[in-house]
Amino acid sequence: RRGALDDAGAQVVGGVVVARYGANPLATIHAVEAQIAKIQVGLPRRTLADGRISQVTIVPFYNREGLIEETLATLSTALWQEILITIIVVLVLLRDLRSSLLISGLLPLGVLAAFVVMKLTGVAANVMALGGIAIAIGTMVDIGIVFAENIAERLEQRDRGQAGVDPIEQRAGIVSRAAAEVAPAVMTSVLTTVVSFLPVLGLSSAEFKLFGPLALTKTFA
């Protein structure tokens, strides 16, 4: 005997369930809980001298389920808070409800697209991966605001009949031209962020397993 497992001063027998690499942790935890429920009824029991019944039980010592659910809740909270803040900020600055709704729509679509790419590339949705998506939400909002603000400004210039602006140009043409004006700057900004994560993708072994998902998911988003 080389050690003991102590639980609040009492010696107990313990075991560790390890999920296979790439397995869904929540599914594994639920499967373990189902098996424990089946085993529990057949565990030894005896009647004590005072009439009480003592039975061997299996209880969780540490369960990752709470951590996983908390992480998912953090991501969803960050998403709706970003959407709310975006609507408020854009309404204050642009006084345009449609622009704020358009920018806010980028967030759930961007997160959904990131999950699709994660599925296709086999990136697991662990804590670090979800953290990368949460970080990218701010960048997505910035990009949306830059595009929407420039488009709104060009449309307003046409409506005011400002010199140098074709008064009969179609809205689609104005939107396309306004987006093209800021697209190079936005692309440069995004590529700068992506390039800054390349050293992380160059890591190996345990370091890449820890930080790689964050860099990948932020890039996907």
Side-chain angles (χ1 to χ4, degrees):
R1 174 165 164 169
R2 301 184 179 181
L5 180 61
D6 181 278
D7 182 15
Q11 289 193 18
V12 295
V13 177
V16 179
V17 178
V18 181
R20 293 184 181 276
Y21 180 76
N24 186 330
L26 271 180
T28 302
I29 292 171
H30 293 159
V32 171
E33 291 173 342
Q35 289 298 319
I36 289 177
K38 293 179 180 179
I39 296 172
Q40 199 83 265
V41 295
L43 294 177
R45 68 170 61 192
R46 67 188 179 94
T47 303
L48 302 178
D50 57 3
R52 291 181 301 162
I53 296 178
S54 175
Q55 181 180 11
V56 176
T57 57
I58 301 176
V59 296
F61 193 78
Y62 172 71
N63 190 338
R64 286 178 57 194
E65 184 174 4
L67 176 63
I68 296 171
E69 292 178 348
E70 183 178 345
T71 302
L72 294 174
T74 299
L75 179 63
S76 62
T77 301
L79 185 59
W80 73 257
Q81 287 179 346
E82 286 276 9
I83 292 175
L84 179 61
I85 293 174
T86 299
I87 293 175
I88 295 174
V89 170
V90 178
L91 280 175
V92 170
L93 296 181
L94 297 182
R95 298 178 297 280
D96 188 349
L97 179 61
R98 289 186 298 176
S99 295
S100 63
L101 294 178
L102 177 64
I103 297 171
S104 301
L106 291 174
L107 302 183
L109 290 176
V111 173
L112 177 61
F115 278 124
V116 171
V117 180
M118 288 169 61
K119 178 68 174 179
L120 295 176
T121 56
V123 177
N126 55 34
V127 174
M128 296 298 286
L130 297 178
I133 294 178
I135 295 173
I137 287 176
T139 303
M140 287 190 283
V141 172
D142 293 342
I143 294 172
I145 289 177
V146 170
F147 275 110
E149 191 276 335
N150 197 55
I151 292 172
E153 176 67 20
R154 293 294 176 262
L155 290 173
E156 186 178 348
Q157 289 176 357
R158 190 200 65 166
D159 295 338
R160 293 198 308 260
Q162 186 170 327
V165 179
D166 188 353
I168 62 174
E169 183 178 4
Q170 297 296 321
R171 291 179 65 88
I174 296 177
V175 170
S176 177
R177 181 165 53 82
E181 289 175 355
V182 295
V186 170
M187 180 62 70
T188 302
S189 175
V190 173
L191 288 178
T192 300
T193 304
V194 172
V195 170
S196 68
F197 277 93
L198 290 180
V200 177
L201 300 179
L203 297 175
S204 59
S205 188
E207 290 81 6
F208 177 77
K209 290 182 180 180
L210 179 61
F211 297 107
L214 184 148
L216 289 172
T217 54
K218 188 178 189 301
T219 301
F220 294 160

